[in-house]
Amino acid sequence: MSAAPHTRTEDVVEIVAGIAVPDPYRWLEGDASVPGEVADWQRAQAAYAEETLWSGHDRDAIRALVEHSHEGAWPELPRSGGGLWFRAQGGRLLVADEPYGAGRILLDLRRFDEPGGTAVLSWFAPSPDGAVLAVGVCTDGSEHNRVELVDVATGSLRDDAPPEPLHSSWGGGISWFPDSTGFAFLGLRSPAQDFRQVVYRRELGTRGPSAIEDVPIPDGSREYTRIQFSPDGRWAVAVHRVGTPFPVAVRDLSHPGTGWRPFLPPRPETVVGHIVGDRYVTVTDLDAPRRRLVAIPLDAEDPADPSGWTELVPEGEAVLRSVLPVGDALYLSEFHRTAARVRILDHDGAERGVVPLPGQGALAAPFFPLTGLAAESRDGSFVFAFSTLTTSWGVYRHRPGGALEVLQEPRIAIDATAELREATAADGTAIPYHVVRPRGAAAPAPVLISAYGAAGIPTLPQYQPDLAAVLSAGGTVVQAYLRGGGEFGSAWFRAADRERRGTRDGDLLAVAEDVLATGIAAPGRLALSGGSDGGLMCGNAITARPDLWCAVLPRAPLLDLVGGFRNPYLEFVIRKAWGDPEDPVDVARMIALSPYERVRPAEYPLLYVEAGANDPRCPPWQARKFVARMQAAQRGSAPILLHVYENAGHGSGTGHDVIVAQDAAWLACLLGALGLPDPVAPQR
């Protein structure tokens, strides 16, 4: 077996807010896309990781299991326009008379493939009249996508697509004008690395640059903005901030020449919903941590005064998630102890019934509330995807007063059980977690803990292909609901936000200790995985308690907070979620919670870090630097591994073949660490 590649150090010390921060691997922040030392080092690390983690494994059987698990992956929901239905299927866009009708192919994404880069669908949006389909296309895994416009009648590409790229799909793609003559979108005004986004207005038939829409956002804000239009074309609302959105401005389009006027001022609370008549019907956590449903008059003299709001649904036990107008009803999505529920209401909030969901699980929804505002109902029905921890995604339709229709059956059902349990954190807070184990599996067992706990994003009991593969291979999965996430409302989120970020790490350790103490996990057979900010959680877990884990597997991780100050996008994220990079108190706290800074010589368990070469959120140098420092600090025999995948990003813009390769290597590494046998290839 080869040894880890040698990594040199440099005597680099940066002064940050008056604090000296040694950075011996700063040179690994260099560009690996050009020939040179960084590129050579990255390739050598990938070769070392591949040789090490695949040793003794059946690559074909593991890949076959991963491919099978991905057959149940999150579907792109069909969308309606002009009485037609549009859907994505196998890299193609189809149009039909029904959500899953035979229809015809409008667009094959392979026409956009580039040498070494597979085109990936970022989003799609049919015009209200169904005449034009807008499509977001990414070709390098970076999530940066361009708009393509397809003429639905002919299937030909139009030549009036905007030249401005979108930084990602977090803005929800484009927002069509109600009369289908054009659209608004959030695009980049300068190179992607500068992270300068503005709202554009694009009329169909325009050639050349798009017009900038002068939305009055808070001074200096680099946040995301999405424009919403009322179906009757009277109102436009600009919603600002991706994680905790609020309607920042409103425009009365019935009076030509009338510009945007401020609506709500920036506050920490979420106010996110849809235009219904002349009101903004919205879910908010203002004075209600589990959220309530209110209606705000769009023509109010002082819309920021809550005394002028009408409360439609007060705060209750369940956490309200989102509201969607469907015909003459409102569909209110919520979750109770992580499980989804959907109530049907009149426009005045009176309850008309509930949607009979197929089980205890989750509705498909984007990570962030702002992205979810792209959802709409043009045909008077509620179309949704639903899954559980053991059953893959199915697609369903419901109409007010009607029965539940199955549009697409779930393709995978794992013979496993799920049980909700609780650990107790150091401050006495109960931290819920699901234990999912193959039916009949003995305990204690080899266990993988999966968690996130950040940005107010809820971790929910839904099907995930990588975790499904672990279950199918005989492992037990623990999914933990840590503070910092949004599963239990805004108070749960803010309990581990900014100056309280360390709370999440304590919650994770409480779950790990409980899983061991109660005999769920066998000693020495407990692993951990998490992605993005969950990768930072993994980095802190392995440096804080290396004795707890047999393996830690961060994916597309954030690992170097201080280094992130120098990246425009990460600097934006860090200011939101951690603190001020210019405040010495905040910087000292971030240093204490930054995995790269926490590495010390110790006996560490196996570490396998996966990253994407084109990741715009957690650039690969984050992983490179952490792994280099960990390899130097390792005093045990377990390997410290890194694979930076080419043509890969943060996940959503990455091609299927690359994702399968990543998941297969991750699973091979995990099976070896947990002492599980290779799977038998699934029968077709």
Side-chain angles (χ1 to χ4, degrees), residues 14-21 562 565 580-588 591:
E14 183 175 7
I15 306 300
V16 182
I19 302 172
V21 184
V562 176
F565 299 167
D580 184 351
E582 299 169 2
D583 183 320
V585 174
D586 285 1
V587 170
I591 289 172

Side-chain angles (χ1 to χ4, degrees), residues 78-238:
R79 302 189 65 177
S80 63
L84 300 172
W85 284 90
F86 301 80
R87 73 180 189 273
Q89 181 176 305
R92 296 170 174 173
L93 278 297
L94 289 81
V95 60
D97 294 330
E98 287 293 329
Y100 288 95
R104 60 185 171 89
I105 297 170
L106 271 181
L107 179 69
D108 190 325
L109 287 172
R110 289 177 296 183
R111 70 180 300 168
F112 302 120
D113 286 354
E114 297 175 353
T118 301
V120 174
L121 179 68
S122 297
W123 52 268
F124 68 97
S127 59
D129 63 7
V132 180
L133 179 68
V135 179
V137 179
C138 176
T139 56
D140 62 0
S142 68
E143 297 184 40
H144 308 319
N145 62 93
R146 67 179 185 272
V147 180
E148 297 285 355
L149 299 177
V150 184
D151 183 271
V152 174
T154 65
S156 60
L157 288 182
R158 295 172 58 105
D159 63 359
D160 53 352
E164 299 84 8
L166 284 64
H167 185 268
S168 67
S169 61
W170 285 5
I174 70 163
S175 302
W176 280 101
F177 303 158
D179 63 3
S180 301
T181 59
F183 49 85
F185 68 102
L186 185 71
L188 290 165
R189 195 174 182 180
S190 60
Q193 62 267 24
D194 294 343
F195 190 57
R196 294 180 61 206
Q197 302 184 106
V198 297
V199 176
Y200 290 100
R201 180 183 182 89
R202 185 78 176 182
E203 307 281 349
L204 292 182
T206 302
R207 276 45 173 204
S210 304
I212 293 176
E213 186 74 12
D214 191 19
V215 179
I217 64 173
D219 289 343
S221 177
R222 307 183 80 175
E223 272 281 5
Y224 288 71
T225 303
R226 180 171 179 84
I227 306 299
Q228 295 175 283
F229 296 101
S230 60
D232 63 7
R234 179 181 177 185
W235 296 103
V237 171

